[in-house]
Amino acid sequence: MRHLLRFLEPVSINDACQDILDRFLADGAIYALPVVDAVARPVALVDRKHYVEFFSKPYSREIFGRRSILELLAYEEYESSEPIVVEDSCSVEDVAQIIIDAGMQHMVSGFLVSSNGFYLGVANGHDLLNIITQRKQAELYYLAHYDSLTGIPNRMLLGDRLDQACRDAKRKGCLAALLFIDIDRFKQINDSLGHSAGDAVLRKVVDRLKASARAADTVARLGGDEFVILMEDLDDPAYVDVVAQRLVNSMREPIELLGHSLVATVSVGSAIYPSDDTEISPLLAKADAAMYEAKGAGRDRFCRYSAATAMYNPARMSLENDLRRGIERNELLLHYQPQVDIASQELRGVEVLVRWQHPERGLVGPGQFIPVAEESGLIVPLGEWVLREAFRQLREWEALGLPPLRMSVNISALQFRHGSLPSFLAEQMAAYDIDPRYIELELTESVLMHDMDEVLQTLQEIKALGVSLAIDDFGTGFSSLSYLRRFPIDRLKIDQSFVRDIECTPANESIARAIVGLANSLSLDIVAEGIETSAEKAVLEHIRCTEGQGYLFAKPMSAEDIRAWITTHRTNRVITDLFDRAIPDFLLQVQALG
Ligand code: C2E
Ligand code: MG
Ligand code: MG
């Protein structure tokens, strides 16, 4: 038992306390620093080893479980250690560095926070971690919901706001309107003046869109040269025409750019909820169709959606019919892309990627037909075909003596919500005698963000079959982290947009780092997709991302090619280490020849 326990006179939270803090820090024999409020009631006891605050508790109360403060102070191991005092203006990153430099001891014990000599409180490394995580979430949220070029909301955030605006309109009995805006002949501007001038034009257009809209309206970029203005809380539909016309007029003024003066007119279409549609989802397509009508009528003008507006897009219609026939005629096929252990480059599994061998168009990628399949509902039979074919292939490989491979299959939102997915999986896995441990389904965040309870139910049914679940394109479709805790997820796939040029893009590195940290803290597996260069691979390896997928290791290949790849994989490992992007292609050719 130590005898000479020395306390300092109490620090008042209302008085400057630098002087007392200084003495506390300088004199190792002083064990604790009491903190009192304005009427001298104790609010905290800050001691050297465990910087604790216990608000509104008398000193005699026990802290740390059953030990009283006096016992605690007398505790053998209770040696003085230097507390850290930080100013509250110190950045979170600085504090993190201080904690790391101090050997992480303040992770739990904590440090004192002061501001201009006033005692502010106690913080510890865990608080700090929370702050960092929250910031990263905010960063990820921003990346997922805002357009990086212009800083305005993107398609995702527009979708959320449109939902909300229509629900409000229904409740209040008012209107919500969409203006679909497309810059006329933007491609020419881009091609003749270059991309950076094109970007500058897009930013100037956004300024004018904002100036024409009301402050409360959402101005969003859908991508390329397409923008949308969402107007909420409207009483008079005629006001939509006023804004649209104002906008068309304002765009006729020349834009001054690098000594040039150019005019970028726009074509605008409008659709109004609930008069043009009482459903939310077709509204954007209707405003888009009205915009096309404006283009067809000579550009640089505004058209309102009406029942007479031509809704069909001829290119899309023929693709849809073609696809329907293509599925029937067995024109779809699967390619497989290896997922490897980044450090050893050992094969861990393959992602199943669908292709369409079109009789005239040649090999068509899923980017071109999956959206059409989703809109037309064809995705359900298509997705079922993919699962069946993947299972059949797994069986065939096994019969050929290949070691069992984990197969990751993409599941689209509609397919997931269709209702019969768990029973379909159960049936087909039984039919092909598939060990569920080798099957992983890749879902996007948008699938999970829907109706929490319903989604959870389906996920649990799928998990009960023994199948694993991964979140695809993780980080791009964010709105809440809480679902990660609630849902039975096994793996996160870091989206390739965060992998691209990660070695020279600090924002990408910190996001990838945050995702890896998140996965670790929730005990989830991780895989990074779209790794193209060894520099990207090196950074990912450094931040402890264990698995990877990308052209650096191998491109998606036919079932036959992947068999050959697996057999020659050991050689590949050495060669891909030496060279970059070009090599997997080259190897594929060699394999195709051999
Ligand atoms: P995803 O699931 O994120 O698939 C990864 C995509 O990235 C694939 O494109 C793949 O070929 C490509 N990729 C892989 N490594 C690299 C790389 O190093 N660099 C680059 N630039 N790209 C790389 P793919 O095959 O065109 O597939 C595109 C998307 O189509 C997939 O994205 C997935 O969302 C969807 N998809 C593919 N197959 C299916 C399917 O059977 N069902 C459903 N519902 N969707 C599918
Ligand atoms: Mg995928
Ligand atoms: Mg992906």
Side-chain angles (χ1 to χ4, degrees):
M1 170 81 99
R2 293 182 192 266
H3 294 292
L4 285 171
L5 294 180
R6 284 213 291 131
F7 290 82
L8 278 174
E9 70 255 42
V11 166
S12 162
I13 48 173
N14 292 322
D15 296 333
C17 63
Q18 194 62 60
D19 175 46
I20 304 173
L21 279 179
D22 285 347
R23 272 195 284 147
F24 175 56
L25 297 183
D27 188 347
I30 300 169
Y31 279 106
L33 176 71
V35 183
V36 295
D37 66 10
V39 289
R41 268 190 318 232
V43 291
L45 182 73
V46 178
D47 65 64
R48 282 190 183 279
K49 188 90 180 192
H50 304 276
Y51 311 116
V52 212
E53 270 190 338
F54 53 108
F55 291 91
S56 317
K57 285 181 190 165
Y59 283 171
S60 57
R61 281 280 282 278
E62 291 179 347
I63 51 172
F64 291 131
R66 291 176 305 280
R67 266 176 268 150
S68 74
I69 295 163
L70 277 178
E71 270 178 295
L72 191 79
L73 292 179
Y75 194 54
E76 285 276 298
E77 287 169 24
Y78 198 83
E79 288 154 14
S80 68
S81 71
E82 277 295 295
I84 291 178
V85 179
V86 294
E87 276 282 310
D88 71 333
S89 57
C90 197
S91 78
V92 171
E93 286 73 18
D94 290 341
V95 181
Q97 197 55 52
I98 293 171
I99 293 182
I100 291 167
D101 292 346
M104 302 298 280
Q105 56 173 314
H106 300 276
M107 200 62 194
V108 179
S109 62
F111 46 87
L112 314 182
V113 187
S114 74
S115 170
N116 297 326
F118 283 85
Y119 171 82
L120 278 189
V122 177
N124 61 43
H126 290 296
D127 302 340
L128 191 80
L129 211 64
N130 275 338
I131 297 174
I132 294 179
T133 318
Q134 279 163 14
R135 278 201 195 168
K136 287 293 171 214
Q137 284 178 22
E139 235 174 73
L140 288 174
Y141 180 89
Y142 185 85
L143 278 172
H145 291 84
Y146 289 86
D147 173 52
S148 58
L149 175 69
T150 58
I152 60 177
N154 64 12
R155 183 187 284 272
M156 167 94 74
L157 186 52
L158 173 73
D160 290 351
R161 297 216 177 141
L162 177 63
D163 262 14
Q164 192 58 46
C166 292
R167 264 185 270 135
D168 284 353
K170 191 169 182 181
R171 199 163 36 82
K172 297 186 199 158
C174 60
L175 310 168
L178 285 179
L179 292 179
F180 199 110
I181 301 134
D182 189 286
I183 305 176
D184 298 328
R185 301 198 175 85
F186 181 70
K187 194 171 175 318
Q188 276 174 19
I189 298 176
N190 225 8
D191 291 349
S192 54
L193 298 178
H195 283 279
S196 58
D199 288 353
V201 169
L202 291 173
R203 287 196 205 97
K204 300 229 170 186
V205 167
V206 168
D207 291 342
R208 292 197 187 168
L209 297 182
K210 283 184 180 162
S212 299
R214 302 169 306 172
D217 297 339
T218 297
V219 178
R221 182 173 177 215
L222 293 187
D225 61 340
E226 291 180 341
F227 298 90
V228 166
I229 297 180
L230 166 65
M231 302 169 70
E232 305 182 35
D233 243 342
L234 286 173
D235 295 320
D236 185 1
Y239 190 67
V240 179
D241 301 6
V242 172
V243 171
Q245 198 53 56
R246 184 157 75 202
L247 205 146
V248 170
N249 294 345
S250 83
M251 293 304 302
R252 291 179 186 149
E253 295 295 317
I255 292 174
E256 302 300 331
L257 199 74
L258 304 165
H260 292 270
S261 171
L262 64 96
V263 174
T265 59
V266 291
S267 299
V268 181
S270 72
I272 298 179
Y273 175 91
S275 42
D276 290 331
D277 211 306
T278 50
E279 294 291 314
I280 301 171
S281 46
L283 271 181
L284 193 63
K286 289 191 168 173
D288 186 12
M291 185 279 291
Y292 260 101
E293 207 163 79
K295 288 243 184 226
R299 303 189 173 91
D300 183 23
R301 70 193 61 223
F302 156 64
C303 275
R304 230 179 277 133
Y305 173 81
S306 76
T309 306
M311 267 313 282
Y312 77 99
N313 173 332
R316 175 152 285 190
M317 278 300 274
S318 84
L319 192 65
E320 186 184 321
N321 287 333
D322 258 17
L323 182 59
R324 199 181 299 276
R325 244 174 286 133
I327 296 174
E328 284 160 15
R329 291 183 192 165
N330 245 333
E331 289 168 6
L332 297 182
L333 62 135
L334 296 184
H335 275 185
Y336 303 86
Q337 187 178 30
Q339 299 181 331
V340 304
D341 179 274
I342 293 185
S344 67
Q345 299 208 21
E346 271 165 33
L347 183 64
R348 289 281 180 262
V350 291
E351 177 172 7
V352 175
L353 295 157
V354 68
R355 305 284 181 262
W356 179 14
Q357 188 65 59
H358 191 280
E360 286 123 42
R361 299 171 205 239
L363 197 64
V364 184
Q368 287 180 54
F369 63 87
I370 291 284
V372 176
E374 281 173 340
E375 276 174 31
S376 56
L378 281 173
I379 193 70
V380 175
L382 189 154
E384 291 183 349
W385 179 85
V386 169
L387 281 166
R388 251 184 280 122
E389 175 60 14
F391 293 165
R392 192 200 58 74
Q393 189 62 63
L394 198 57
R395 271 262 79 118
E396 184 182 307
W397 281 336
E398 199 190 310
L400 290 167
L402 255 70
L405 272 180
R406 180 187 68 212
M407 269 196 176
S408 304
V409 183
N410 292 284
I411 301 292
S412 113
L414 197 70
Q415 194 185 355
F416 183 83
R417 271 185 240 124
H418 190 247
S420 57
L421 184 62
S423 55
F424 179 83
L425 277 170
E427 261 165 45
Q428 298 299 323
M429 284 195 307
Y432 288 94
D433 192 18
I434 297 292
D435 182 342
R437 279 179 306 167
Y438 295 113
I439 304 300
E440 177 179 79
L441 302 187
E442 292 191 3
L443 310 168
T444 55
E445 286 165 281
S446 58
V447 172
L448 305 179
M449 301 317 305
H450 245 250
D451 178 337
M452 281 259 182
D453 295 331
E454 214 168 288
V455 167
L456 186 60
Q457 164 94 29
T458 312
L459 291 176
Q460 281 165 344
E461 282 170 29
I462 294 173
K463 279 299 288 183
L465 302 172
V467 168
S468 345
L469 298 167
I471 303 186
D472 203 355
D473 307 337
F474 187 76
T476 59
F478 235 79
S479 49
S480 142
L481 266 187
S482 60
Y483 69 85
L484 275 187
R485 279 184 208 281
R486 286 191 54 193
F487 293 159
I489 299 296
D490 303 284
R491 202 143 83 113
L492 304 181
K493 286 193 84 173
I494 303 180
D495 187 61
Q496 44 177 293
S497 58
F498 304 127
V499 170
R500 193 64 54 245
D501 299 325
I502 189 170
E503 75 283 5
C504 53
T505 316
N508 280 1
E509 192 192 324
S510 36
I511 288 165
R513 226 182 244 281
I515 297 175
V516 172
L518 201 68
N520 287 340
S521 67
L522 296 171
S523 301
L524 303 176
D525 290 334
I526 190 109
V527 56
E529 56 183 327
I531 305 176
E532 291 187 354
T533 66
S534 39
E536 288 165 355
K537 181 191 110 169
V539 175
L540 288 161
E541 195 171 357
H542 177 71
I543 63 172
R544 304 222 162 77
C545 173
T546 45
E547 269 189 46
Q549 174 183 350
Y551 297 167
L552 175 67
F553 308 111
K555 286 195 167 175
M557 291 171 259
S558 69
E560 220 171 288
D561 287 346
I562 199 137
R563 255 181 69 208
W565 186 88
I566 292 170
T567 331
T568 54
H569 180 53
R570 291 199 171 271
T571 346
N572 288 4
R573 270 200 286 182
V574 180
I575 300 175
T576 50
D577 269 347
L578 297 176
F579 301 97
D580 257 0
R581 292 182 207 245
I583 285 306
D585 273 331
F586 156 77
L587 279 173
L588 285 181
Q589 281 159 19
V590 170
Q591 281 155 13
L593 291 174

